[in-house]
Amino acid sequence: MDFPEELKAKILECPPEIIAYIVHLHERIDQLESRVKELESRLNLNSRNSGKPPSSDGYAKKNRNKSDSRKKYPGGQPGHKGTTLRQSPHPDHIEYHKPHECSKCGHSLVSGKILGIEKRQVFDLPPPPTIEITEHQSFTICCPHCGLKTSGDFPEDVTHPVQYGSRVKSYLTYLSHHQLIPYERVTEICSDLFGFSVSPGTIVNLTHNLDKKLQSFKDDIVNILQNEPVIHNDETGVRVEGKLHWLHVTCTPYLTHYSLQRKRGKEGMDNIGILPEFHGISVHDFWGPYLSYSCEHSFCCAHIIRELIRVEEETSQKWPYDLIELLLGAKENKEIFHGVGVPIPPIIRTSLMESYDELIQIGLDENPPSVVDEVKRGRKKKGFVRNLLERLKEWKESVLRFINDPLVPFDNNQAERDIRMMKVKMKISGGFRSFDTASAIALIRSYISTIRKNGINVIEGIVSAFHNFPWLPNRTKDISGESLLSQNLAIAEAY
C-alpha cells in the first residue's frame, strides 16, 4: 500500500476487514484515475498528434505546438514560381477597333496616320461541341461466280445497333471517376454542355466495361511493384454493401495500385499478391501486419512526429521535442546531401544515431514500466508513451533508414496522397452498393493515377484503354509514355 507512514500505522490498527476494504478502495481509485487519464488522452487527440484526419478537428482554433518551429506562412513560399496569364504571340482571332472620327473636332480619321497599337487579349472557351453521329453500313454482296453472300466487317468496337463512342465513354469516365462527380450530376453536365443525356446505369455499365479492358494493366502493375526497390503502403476503411471493407494502396512516385479487400490484415494483403513476393523496402506506419513480411521496412517519420507531439502535450517532458527536432534536422540533411546525389557524411550519420539513442534512453528513464501486480494475472499495460519508446528503440534501423538510403523518403506521404482521393470519393458517395463496382472503380483509379504520374493526358489515356490498348507501365523502359499512347491511338484509329 502506498500510504504515508503515519496513516499506514493507523490503518494497521484497524480490524482486518477494514484494512481489506481500504486496500480495495485504494486499488479502485488507482484504476479510475488511470481510466480518466486514458479518456482525457483520447479526448485530446487531433490531426496534429495522431492519425485522425483534419476533418475530425471541427472548427476549433488550431494552436501551434512549440515543436512546429518551421512555420510556413500563407500563400506562395520563397522560391515558388507563380503562374499567370500572358499574352500569346499567336492569337486565334484578331478584332480591330479603329476610331472613325476625331473625338475633338469630329473630322474623319479614315486616312489618318496610325501612331500606335495597344493589345489586349481575352482567353475564353469556344461553344461546347455537340454530339456527332457516325453511321456504319455493312454491305452484303453476292458473288457473281459462286453465289456466296459476303458482308463487310464493322469496326471491332462497333458491336451494337446504337452505342456511344470511345470519346463519349472517356468523358463520362473522366467526370465520374477522376473528378468524382456523382452519376446524377454527370448526366446534368452532359445535357447542359453537350446536348445529350445519359442514365446513371449507362455510367455503371461503362465502369464494368473499362474494368475488363484494364486487366492487362492490373497484372502488369502488380508484377512491376513486386520488383521495385521501394514501395509505399497504406490502407483505409470503406463501406461496401453496408459493411466495412478495406482499400489497400501500394504505390511509388510513378505507379499506383488500389485493391479492395474484405479483410484489413495479412489475409487481405496476401490476396493482393504484392507484399508476399516483395523483397525491397516497404514504407508504412507501425501497423503490425506489415511487419509479418520478410522485406525490409521503413517507418513514416511524420506519423512518429505526431505521436511525439501527443507525448509532449500529455507529459510536458522535453525529450519528445528534442527528438522531433532531431528527426526534422535529419530530414534537412537528407535533402541537402541526397538532393545533390551524395550520401550523408558518416560523421553526421553517427552523430544523429547517437543522439537518437540518448533521447530514447532519456524517455525510457523518465517513463519506467508499471509495477507488476503479483496478485493479478495477465500482462500489465505499459501505456502509450512506454510502448512508443520501446518501438522506437527496437526498430531504430527502420526509423532512421531514410538517412542511409537515398531512395527511402522521410515519410509515407506518397501513399497518403494517393489514398486521399479515394477518401474524397467515399465522402461524396458515402459507400458502394456493389463489391464488383467498387473493385472496378479501384482499378480505374489505379490506371488514372498512374498515367497522370507519367505525364499522360487522362482523357487520351482512357480513350486508348477503351480501344483495347491501355497504357502499360512495363513498356516505359523502351519508349516514352506519350509516344506509346500516340502509337496506341494510331493503331486504334486504323481499326
Side-chain angles (χ1 to χ4, degrees), residues 262-286:
R262 302 183 189 275
K263 300 292 185 180
R264 182 189 183 194
K266 191 174 186 298
E267 181 180 346
M269 290 186 281
D270 286 346
N271 289 336
I272 297 171
I274 296 176
L275 282 174
E277 304 297 329
F278 180 69
H279 301 290
I281 301 172
S282 173
V283 184
H284 50 77
D285 53 25
F286 268 114

Side-chain angles (χ1 to χ4, degrees), residues 167-300:
R167 194 157 292 275
V168 170
K169 296 177 183 178
S170 300
Y171 272 76
L172 294 175
T173 303
Y174 174 86
L175 293 172
S176 58
H177 300 315
H178 179 49
Q179 298 299 341
L180 308 180
I181 301 175
Y183 294 162
E184 294 287 350
R185 291 178 59 193
V186 170
T187 64
E188 294 179 10
I189 291 173
C190 290
S191 177
D192 294 340
L193 293 183
F194 310 122
F196 72 95
S197 180
V198 297
S199 67
T202 299
I203 303 175
V204 175
N205 292 336
L206 293 178
T207 299
H208 288 283
N209 181 251
L210 184 57
D211 172 65
K212 295 177 182 178
K213 295 177 180 293
L214 290 177
Q215 291 304 310
S216 59
F217 166 82
K218 178 182 178 181
D219 297 337
D220 199 47
I221 197 170
V222 168
N223 292 333
I224 293 177
L225 286 170
Q226 288 173 347
N227 297 287
E228 284 290 296
V230 179
I231 61 174
H232 296 256
N233 293 100
D234 202 0
E235 77 292 327
T236 187
V238 295
R239 302 292 297 183
V240 182
E241 299 173 343
K243 298 179 182 179
L244 180 62
H245 289 64
W246 296 93
L247 182 78
H248 297 257
V249 62
T250 306
C251 58
T252 71
Y254 302 100
L255 304 167
T256 305
H257 178 269
Y258 298 108
S259 179
L260 185 66
Q261 297 292 324
R262 302 183 189 275
K263 300 292 185 180
R264 182 189 183 194
K266 191 174 186 298
E267 181 180 346
M269 290 186 281
D270 286 346
N271 289 336
I272 297 171
I274 296 176
L275 282 174
E277 304 297 329
F278 180 69
H279 301 290
I281 301 172
S282 173
V283 184
H284 50 77
D285 53 25
F286 268 114
W287 192 44
Y290 290 124
L291 303 177
S292 63
Y293 293 98
S294 59
C295 61
E296 298 292 336
H297 301 276
S298 178
F299 296 114
C300 173

Side-chain angles (χ1 to χ4, degrees), residues 2 8 24 49 53 93 112 139 163 182 206 211 273 284 294 322 326-328 355-356 378 395 403 420 432 464 470 472:
D2 187 17
K8 186 183 296 185
H24 169 72
N49 58 22
H93 308 282
F139 290 84
Q163 66 181 66
L206 293 178
D211 172 65
H284 50 77
S294 59
D322 293 337
L326 175 71
L327 292 174
L328 294 177
S355 299
Y356 180 91
W395 295 95
I403 69 174
R420 185 173 297 134
F432 298 102
S464 182
L472 300 179

Side-chain angles (χ1 to χ4, degrees), residues 64 68-75 77-78 331:
R64 294 188 64 86
D68 303 336
S69 56
R70 293 155 178 79
K71 181 177 180 181
K72 290 186 177 180
Y73 295 92
Q77 303 302 311
K331 178 188 177 187

Side-chain angles (χ1 to χ4, degrees), residues 270-471:
D270 286 346
N271 289 336
I272 297 171
I274 296 176
L275 282 174
E277 304 297 329
F278 180 69
H279 301 290
I281 301 172
S282 173
V283 184
H284 50 77
D285 53 25
F286 268 114
W287 192 44
Y290 290 124
L291 303 177
S292 63
Y293 293 98
S294 59
C295 61
E296 298 292 336
H297 301 276
S298 178
F299 296 114
C300 173
C301 287
H303 278 78
I304 295 172
I305 287 177
R306 287 198 290 266
E307 292 181 300
L308 290 171
I309 291 174
R310 175 183 173 185
V311 174
E312 184 183 5
E313 292 175 345
E314 292 183 1
T315 66
S316 299
Q317 296 173 358
K318 187 174 182 298
W319 66 267
Y321 172 78
D322 293 337
L323 186 53
I324 292 173
E325 291 297 304
L326 175 71
L327 292 174
L328 294 177
K331 178 188 177 187
E332 287 187 353
N333 279 284
K334 176 182 179 63
E335 293 170 349
I336 292 172
F337 291 99
H338 292 173
V340 295
V342 298
I344 298 176
I347 187 172
I348 296 180
R349 294 204 307 269
T350 302
S351 175
L352 290 171
M353 292 182 177
E354 291 177 351
S355 299
Y356 180 91
D357 291 335
E358 293 174 1
L359 291 173
I360 296 299
Q361 190 57 51
I362 292 173
L364 292 170
D365 294 340
E366 294 184 7
N367 300 273
S370 303
V371 178
V372 178
D373 191 339
E374 298 179 356
V375 178
K376 293 184 177 181
R377 295 182 179 181
R379 187 172 56 182
K380 186 72 174 179
K381 283 187 176 182
K382 297 180 181 180
F384 168 74
V385 179
R386 183 76 189 187
N387 277 328
L388 174 62
L389 285 163
E390 291 183 0
R391 277 191 282 126
L392 294 177
K393 181 178 181 180
E394 178 183 359
W395 295 95
K396 167 190 172 182
E397 182 179 353
S398 296
V399 172
L400 298 179
R401 194 179 298 278
F402 71 94
I403 69 174
N404 296 314
D405 192 330
L407 296 178
V408 176
F410 174 78
D411 50 42
N412 197 29
N413 284 354
Q414 182 66 61
E416 294 187 358
R417 284 193 298 266
D418 285 338
I419 212 167
R420 185 173 297 134
M421 295 310 295
M422 293 299 288
K423 293 300 290 184
V424 173
K425 174 70 175 177
M426 286 305 304
K427 288 182 179 180
I428 294 171
S429 303
F432 298 102
R433 297 179 182 179
S434 164
F435 182 85
D436 291 340
T437 300
S439 297
I441 292 174
L443 177 56
I444 292 171
R445 284 293 313 177
S446 300
Y447 181 70
I448 290 174
S449 176
T450 300
I451 62 177
R452 288 190 72 243
K453 288 179 178 180
N454 287 273
I456 308 298
N457 179 276
V458 176
I459 295 290
E460 300 305 324
I462 299 174
V463 169
S464 182
F466 272 116
H467 281 298
N468 296 315
F469 294 98
W471 182 84

